[in-house]
Amino acid sequence: MREIVLDTETTGLEAYGGDRLVEIGCVEMVNRILTGTVFHAYINPERDMPVEAFNVHGLSAEFLSDKPKFKDVADEFLNFIAEDTLVIHNAAFDIGFLNAELERLGRATIARDRVVDTLALARRKHPGGGNRLDDLMNRYGIDSSRRVKHGALLDAELLAEVYGELLGGKQASLIGLVEDTSEAPRLVVAAQAAHPRPVPLAPRLSAAEAQAHAAFIASMGEKALWLKYADAPPEEKTGS
């Protein structure tokens, strides 16, 4: 099963109010495992960069001025995501911007029923708790030290880790295969000395078999170990 974990950065919050995409980052997962295949593009928004947005992602209008426009990367982006499931945190925001850009080009938009919204998953799993990406990384102990500012590709990679945790964790406990180092009490059985039977067991050999066995031992010579037991009482021979 192929899934694409996706994130975007923008000039602001209004997809249909003049704001534009400035970065798209996607990472591929197959059977919930990252493959290392990614799509990443910086995009010239064809407008200025508000200071509020710059403070979030650090992408200036000057830096983006020589980057391709959305129309120049649209085909590559759409080919990458194909028809596979998209995993997005607060999906309405990112899909809103992507669809606004596609509509400007007269292209088909992305259906919302192919999107998994990890924000909705997190709210169901952790009702009442903080469910921003930073909150979830802290909750699951995911290293966020690289996340000095928001970046679409890095955030997609981190979201892939969060997604795995939201679905129950990437690694199952291997019970029985992990060395037990706990100090849990252990059952100790003390050895007990054997006591003679009050009534010896009845012989299990017939007289003829006993005679044949005695003859066999005699044939082994006077130093044969079996001679030590040949005339022993039954209790000593059985040891029980």
Side-chain angles (χ1 to χ4, degrees), residues 138-172:
N138 289 336
R139 178 177 286 122
Y140 294 127
I142 295 170
D143 181 14
S144 60
S145 60
R146 295 178 294 159
R147 198 176 189 238
V148 178
K149 287 186 178 291
H150 290 209
L153 185 59
L154 174 59
D155 285 0
E157 292 172 351
L158 294 170
L159 179 58
E161 294 188 59
V162 168
Y163 181 48
E165 296 295 339
L166 287 170
L167 295 180
K170 295 178 291 185
Q171 297 181 352

Side-chain angles (χ1 to χ4, degrees), residues 196-209:
R197 292 179 182 273
V199 179
L201 292 174
R204 298 181 182 179
L205 298 176
S206 66
E209 289 172 331

